[in-house]
Amino acid sequence: MCGIIARIGQGEAAETLLSGLENLEYRGYDSAGIAVQNGSGVKVHKTSGEVADLKSSLDAHPHGNMGIGHTRWSTHGPPTDENAHPHTDTAGDVAVVHNGVIDNYDELRAELGEKGHEFESDTDTEVIPHLIDEYLKTADDTEEAVRRAVDTLEGSYAIAAIVDGEERVYAARKGSPLVLGLDEAEWYLASDVPAFLDHTDEVIYLEDGDLVVLEPDSYRITDLEGIPVERSVDTVDWDPEDAGKGEYDHYMLKEIHTQPTALSNTIEGRVENGDVAFEALSPGTFEAVETVQFVACGTSYHAAMYGGQLLRAADVRTEVLRASEYESMSGPVDEETLVVAVTQSGETADTLDALRIGADRGARTLAVTNVVGSTAAREADDAVYIRAGPEVGVAATKTYSSQAVTLALLTQRIAGDVPDATPVEDRSAMLETLADLPQHVETVLETSEAETLARETLDSESYFFIGNGLGHSVALEGALKFKEITYEHAEGFASGQLKHGPLALVTEASPVIAVSTGDDDDKTKTNAIEAQSRGAPIVAVGPDDNSLVDVADVHLSIPETHPVWAGLLANVQLQLLSYHAANLLDRPIDKPRNLAKSVTVE
């Protein structure tokens, strides 16, 4: 949720901290701050608002070769100057930034208050520097004090701390992501790789229970008992330019337009000799599987629905469950169950909980994620990567497309192993046309009339998205994207559900956007006609030769392709519709209110 960064090494730290926070704003933008250690005290600068507000509030960059920074997504307390991070102890000698939720902060705050500690914010984070300060009174050194403080906390956290008079950064993680970046002249800590990708691509993904001490020329990783642990160094294959906007006005627009490249990377090497191949999955991996459970949240849930639809069509018993409801809704789970966790970041708290519950009940687990070394990838029995590259816009676009394609291929791989399963009847044609998908997306981007439609429907009261079969999850994703960035009322439905209640809301001021895939579209057409008879304008999104086009008022066209891929092309049109509507309404497209990209707290 929040973004944290730390840096120590040669030269000045402030500029690196500020640029790192700008690269992390997709994780939160309610407030921002930095703390720099320069040998004459810990200097804290923070403010409510965005990183740009923080930069403009600085008369000059504070001097010092080490520091920590934070961009906040509020959980405890409103976005005020006082609640902005970093937080300090009463004397201002210990500064801390934190991502996560401290469950026992009320109890700790009361205990510390009785010992004379004074608090200035509403946040749970503020107890941490006070705990470190309290333990410094009896600990042998600061590292022990930090370790004891961390051991006192209940909940989730990624923490970075600096202490007056010490040329060290202390950090720890439990349940929230933290990655260490290694460069020749400096070390970095951050919630996510884009924070320091301009400086290094050598990283260590820290694990729960790790405590890190950074000095200008060294780093140490131990567990909470002080025992050294070894963590492998990985090389991130993302280009630093991938994390910038380039020539585009918004990250979202750039990421929509880079989908052809992302999809090419997703597909590469995964269709060989007319069959599906995943390097990490050996033949027979899924032959003991009887039930597949997809668990995910938000956009990833819609991608999971896409995969679930295809797996059911292959006669494999399949459930698609919202990760937050998995514990109570999953039904029987045993060693013949495969739990597939779909999470772009690999750090989504609810999805990780579902993954762990499934594993505890005996299920085999598989993570479908974008981030090598993420918690989901490490904890699952197997991991498949979507290869979409970094995505900065809060509203997911290219990662949805890459997730859906990866899951479509994975379903065929699973169906090939599971006894009595029946892969897609025209599987060869499906796999053959997949090679054209990146170019077909390019065609949509070049020819789309979504901006014109956005302008014509801008004064609508509500927007309804409908679809059947594979089009259903696309309709849900289209509605989610629209409401996320336009702040207009939008809802998605299975086509047949429109007449069971939602039709009461349909008026001449509520366009119905109907997704067609060229397969199983009869219900969509029937319900679109019924809405049209109540005065609603109908927008058909699909191939030209679909019967829905004949009754629609407007048509957003997609190239002819296999029905399995048609929904993903329709989704690109819906992404563009949402983007252009939000742009016309002058919304903050990359930073929609109240939302953060990676939800790492429950």
Side-chain angles (χ1 to χ4, degrees), residues 477-489:
E477 174 61 14
L480 175 63
K481 212 58 52 194
F482 200 90
K483 71 180 76 173
E484 278 182 321
I485 63 169
T486 69
Y487 308 159
E488 299 297 304
H489 177 250

Side-chain angles (χ1 to χ4, degrees), residues 299 302-303 306 397-404 473-474 477 568 571:
T299 286
H302 298 150
Y306 208 89
T397 52
K398 66 176 182 175
T399 55
Y400 170 80
S401 299
S402 290
Q403 282 177 331
S473 57
V474 174
E477 174 61 14
L568 302 184
N571 179 66

Side-chain angles (χ1 to χ4, degrees), residues 465-469 471-472 475 492-500 513-515 520-528 530 548:
F465 295 72
I466 62 172
N468 195 41
H472 177 206
F493 305 98
S495 298
Q497 288 302 112
L498 192 64
K499 60 182 174 290
H500 294 287
I513 295 104
V515 177
D520 202 20
D521 291 325
D522 290 343
K523 287 184 180 180
T524 305
K525 179 180 178 181
T526 299
N527 284 269
E530 190 166 358
L548 187 60

Side-chain angles (χ1 to χ4, degrees), residues 433 436 440 517-518 542-546 555 557-563 566 569:
T433 53
D436 298 325
H440 284 162
T517 63
D544 293 339
D545 65 351
N546 189 275
H555 177 216
S557 177
I558 65 169
E560 295 295 327
T561 187
H562 192 281
L569 296 174

